[in-house]
Amino acid sequence: MTANKQLKLTLIRSLAKRLPVHQQCVRGLGLTRRHQTVTVAATPENLGMVRKVSYMLQIEEVV
């Protein structure tokens, strides 16, 4: 993916009782509360974090 692509991420599961590394990935993406939505660039760093915690996120590609 190129750097100009964006991803819209929504946290759909709680951070409670998750691995500390997964909690840090979600916070690194800018999410702090359930049902919060952020838009991030589709960089390799962000895609790696999204892949790690994808079970907690709703992911949409912004055109």
Side-chain angles (χ1 to χ4, degrees):
M1 293 187 141
T2 59
N4 61 357
K5 290 204 177 191
Q6 299 283 315
L7 296 175
K8 182 176 167 185
L9 307 173
T10 304
L11 186 62
I12 57 172
R13 292 188 175 225
S14 172
L15 291 177
K17 298 184 181 180
R18 303 293 177 190
L19 292 173
V21 174
H22 290 196
Q23 291 178 9
Q24 291 170 357
C25 282
V26 170
R27 289 194 184 104
L29 290 167
L31 294 162
T32 56
R33 302 181 308 275
R34 285 185 61 205
H35 305 296
Q36 180 183 7
T37 301
V38 296
T39 303
V40 297
T43 62
E45 295 83 6
N46 287 341
L47 291 175
M49 289 191 285
V50 167
R51 194 173 301 116
K52 184 174 277 194
V53 295
S54 62
Y55 67 97
M56 291 193 284
L57 301 174
Q58 178 180 355
I59 306 161
E60 299 175 39
E61 196 171 322
V62 178
V63 180

